[in-house]
């Protein structure tokens, strides 16, 4: 097999797995108006369905990352995508609000380890000098997943009902499982490091990750960005439908471009971060996100073209911070601890995703004001930008890979 082919296959499969998991995760948001009417639930209860997913998702972030370090990303990705398939399809059979909550939590539990496992596969196969671009490409999965959810789900729901939409997107993980089972491979160096990892002290490694201040700072800053990004992805469809009078399909089409913006900005910002100060870029990415959210929430213009342009700007602002901050973490810890570190950081980030949909639903129930929703969301990235200022300046300890892809070595 050619030297470039194996890494390319692994990266594409990890990316595809991540795309599928995001699509299934976000399938609820486009059908909230339809499903809420059928089930007779409030906006807060509808938001709780997204929160329920993130309860399971957050609970498995750090353990999933540690498990990735122990047994390898291939097994973790296969197990995770299998669980996602089962409990996405299960939404078709939900008969009560409470049953739906349980199904969403279980789907979140299955999805929780995918981020750290997929990112670890990138770090395994891509040299450090190109890692920002590669992680930027991987992170386009979140944008593409949102785009797919907003194209496929409303269309299927409009013709066959919202339950059938879950049945449709629940089939995608099955295909991802089959492809990954046959073609996902770990490098020989990774297998060697994994065998060494099995002889190390688990609790000492865990404590090493938890005591790393840089990881905690990036985690807290990213919490603010995720709070805003997931809150926007959850409630923007309803805002466009309820406040601006767009149909569900029109709102889905608009929000599809929200996701598409990330397809361009994530690899681009990752490429730029390979040559510039990552901390500075992360600060401005979070800082500029806040005013764009307020602009979006204040808008009353219903012209489709204007809304499309505004939503693309919002999508660009929403997706800049995550590839850079993920790369920062990937270069902060020893290679054998990468999965756990990424799991911890994403776990902190996803606490924002857990809280935001429910709290924004409560704001809507109490005030009916979507402007207040987007102002509240904007507070997250603004505070996150301030937190990034505490990351420190100058050169810090990093762990980089040798040019020939051999063992990773510690560098100052």
């Amino acid at each position: 097999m050619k030297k470039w082919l194996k890494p390319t296959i692994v990266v594409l499969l990890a990316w595809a797995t991540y795309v599928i998991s995001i699509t299934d995760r976000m399938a609820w948001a486009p059908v909230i108006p339809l499903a809420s009417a059928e089930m007779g639930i409030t906006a807060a209860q509808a938001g709780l369905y997204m929160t329920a997913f993130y309860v399971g998702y957050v609970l498995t972030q750090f353990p999933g990352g540690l498990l990735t370090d122990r047994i390898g990303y291939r097994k973790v990705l296969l197990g995770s995508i299998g669980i996602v398939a089962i409990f996405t399809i299960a939404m078709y059979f939900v008969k009560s609000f409470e049953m739906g909550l349980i199904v969403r939590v279980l789907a979140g539990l299955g999805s929780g380890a995918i981020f750290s496992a997929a990112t670890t596969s990138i770090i395994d196969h891509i040299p450090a000098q190109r890692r920002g671009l590669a992680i930027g490409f991987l992170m386009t999965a979140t944008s593409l997943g949102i785009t797919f959810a907003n194209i496929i789900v409303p269309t299927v729901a409009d013709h066959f009902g919202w339950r059938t939409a879950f049945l449709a997107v629940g089939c995608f993980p099955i295909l991802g499982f089959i492809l990954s089972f046959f073609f996902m491979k770990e490098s020989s160096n990774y297998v060697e490091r994994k065998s060494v990892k099995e002889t190390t002290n688990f609790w000492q490694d865990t404590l090493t990750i938890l005591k790393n201040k840089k990881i905690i700072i990036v985690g807290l800053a990213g919490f603010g960005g995720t709070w805003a990004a997931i809150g926007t992805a959850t409630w923007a469809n309803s805002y466009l439908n309820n406040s601006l009078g767009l149909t569900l399909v029109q709102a889905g089409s608009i929000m599809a471009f929200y996701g598409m913006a990330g397809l361009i900005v994530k690899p681009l910002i990752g490429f730029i971060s390979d040559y510039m100060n990552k901390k500075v870029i992360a600060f401005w990415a979070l800082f500029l996100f806040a005013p764009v959210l307020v602009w979006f929430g204040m808008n009353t213009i219903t012209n489709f073209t204007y809304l499309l342009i505004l939503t693309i700007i919002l999508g660009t602002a929403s997706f800049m911070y995550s590839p850079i901050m993920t790369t920062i973490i990937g270069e902060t810890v020893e290679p054998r601890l990468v999965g756990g570190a990424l799991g911890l950081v994403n776990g902190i980030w996803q606490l924002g995703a857990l809280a935001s949909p429910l709290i924004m639903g409560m704001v809507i129930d109490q005030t009916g004001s979507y402007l207040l929703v987007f102002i509240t969301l904007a507070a997250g990235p603004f505070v996150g930008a301030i937190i990034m200022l505490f990351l420190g300046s100058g050169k810090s300890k990093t762990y980089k890979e040798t040019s020939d892809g051999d063992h990773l070595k510690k560098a100052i």
Side-chain angles (χ1 to χ4, degrees):
M1 182 179 288
K2 292 182 179 180
K3 185 176 181 180
W4 57 268
L5 187 56
K6 180 181 174 181
T8 301
I9 291 173
V10 170
V11 170
L12 287 175
L13 284 173
W15 172 81
T17 301
Y18 201 17
V19 170
I20 290 167
S21 71
I22 297 296
T23 302
D24 288 7
R25 180 194 315 182
M26 298 308 301
W28 175 250
V31 299
I32 285 177
L34 282 177
S36 297
E38 179 193 312
M39 300 177 71
I41 59 178
T42 66
Q45 288 175 314
L48 189 58
Y49 264 31
M50 285 297 289
T51 294
F53 180 96
Y54 282 104
V55 168
Y57 190 72
V58 168
L59 285 175
T60 48
Q61 284 296 316
F62 192 32
L66 295 173
L67 187 64
T68 296
D69 290 334
R70 290 281 160 172
I71 70 172
Y73 55 80
R74 181 181 184 272
K75 291 180 180 178
V76 171
L77 285 173
L78 286 172
S80 296
I81 201 67
I83 295 172
V84 169
I86 292 169
F87 291 106
T88 301
I89 292 172
M91 280 298 290
Y92 178 86
F93 302 99
V94 164
K95 300 298 182 183
S96 67
F97 172 71
E98 293 77 13
M99 181 180 177
L101 283 180
I102 295 171
V103 169
R104 290 291 285 172
V105 170
L106 293 173
L109 287 171
S111 188
I114 289 177
F115 172 77
S116 57
T119 309
T120 301
S121 74
I122 297 289
I123 293 172
D124 178 28
H125 286 280
I126 304 300
Q129 63 268 26
R130 291 291 179 266
R131 202 166 285 158
L133 175 60
I135 290 177
F137 169 73
L138 176 69
M139 299 296 282
T140 63
T142 58
S143 308
L144 195 59
I146 291 172
T147 300
F148 283 168
N150 279 285
I151 292 174
I152 298 169
V153 173
T155 302
V156 175
D158 191 49
H159 289 85
F160 305 103
W162 69 269
R163 294 176 185 274
T164 305
F166 274 93
L167 191 62
V169 297
C171 293
F172 295 157
I174 298 174
L175 177 61
F177 180 92
I178 294 171
L179 291 173
S180 295
F181 182 83
F182 289 104
F183 300 109
M184 173 70 72
K185 305 293 182 182
E186 296 168 348
S187 73
S188 57
N189 287 333
Y190 183 84
V191 173
E192 181 181 339
R193 288 197 299 270
K194 187 172 61 176
S195 65
V196 172
K197 176 75 175 178
E198 291 171 354
T199 66
T200 61
N201 187 298
F202 173 81
W203 295 112
Q204 184 176 348
D205 287 345
T206 303
L207 186 61
T208 298
I209 295 170
L210 292 172
K211 289 171 63 178
N212 190 311
K213 293 181 180 179
K214 196 169 187 178
I215 292 174
I216 302 303
I217 289 172
V218 173
L220 292 174
F223 170 96
T226 307
W227 158 278
I230 298 302
T232 300
T234 301
W235 288 110
N237 294 72
S238 297
Y239 161 66
L240 293 170
N241 176 241
N242 295 329
S243 290
L244 300 185
L246 275 67
T247 67
L248 286 180
V249 173
Q250 286 175 326
S253 299
I254 290 285
M255 287 304 293
F257 281 90
Y258 170 84
M260 287 179 186
L263 298 179
I264 299 173
V265 72
K266 285 183 177 181
L268 177 60
I269 205 73
F271 175 77
I272 293 171
S273 73
D274 283 332
Y275 300 94
M276 296 181 64
N277 187 303
K278 292 179 176 64
K279 172 196 165 182
V280 173
I281 300 174
F283 168 82
W284 283 109
L286 287 168
F287 187 81
L288 294 174
F289 189 8
V292 174
L293 279 164
V294 177
W295 177 21
F296 186 76
M298 291 177 63
N299 173 62
T300 58
I301 299 172
T302 58
N303 177 270
F304 191 86
T305 302
Y306 178 85
L307 282 174
L308 192 62
I309 294 171
L310 176 56
T311 304
I312 290 172
I313 294 172
L314 177 62
T316 301
S318 298
F319 296 122
M320 285 195 295
Y321 73 91
S322 55
I324 309 161
M325 296 172 75
T326 300
T327 306
I328 289 173
I329 294 302
E331 295 178 351
T332 296
V333 298
E334 297 178 63
R336 66 187 181 87
L337 301 177
V338 164
L342 290 168
L344 175 61
V345 167
N346 201 41
I348 298 172
W349 288 2
Q350 301 308 324
L351 288 173
L354 187 155
S356 180
L358 173 61
I359 292 175
M360 295 311 107
M362 294 171 65
V363 170
I364 294 168
D365 282 340
Q366 294 298 317
T367 69
S369 172
Y370 282 94
L371 174 57
L372 184 57
V373 164
F374 286 103
I375 291 174
T376 306
L377 291 174
F382 178 79
V383 173
I386 303 304
I387 292 173
M388 281 300 294
L389 295 176
F390 293 91
L391 192 61
S393 59
K395 292 186 178 180
S396 60
K397 185 182 295 184
T398 60
Y399 297 85
K400 293 185 180 290
E401 193 170 3
T402 57
S403 58
D404 59 358
D406 291 333
H407 295 288
L408 290 120
K409 297 180 181 180
K410 188 175 178 180
I412 303 297

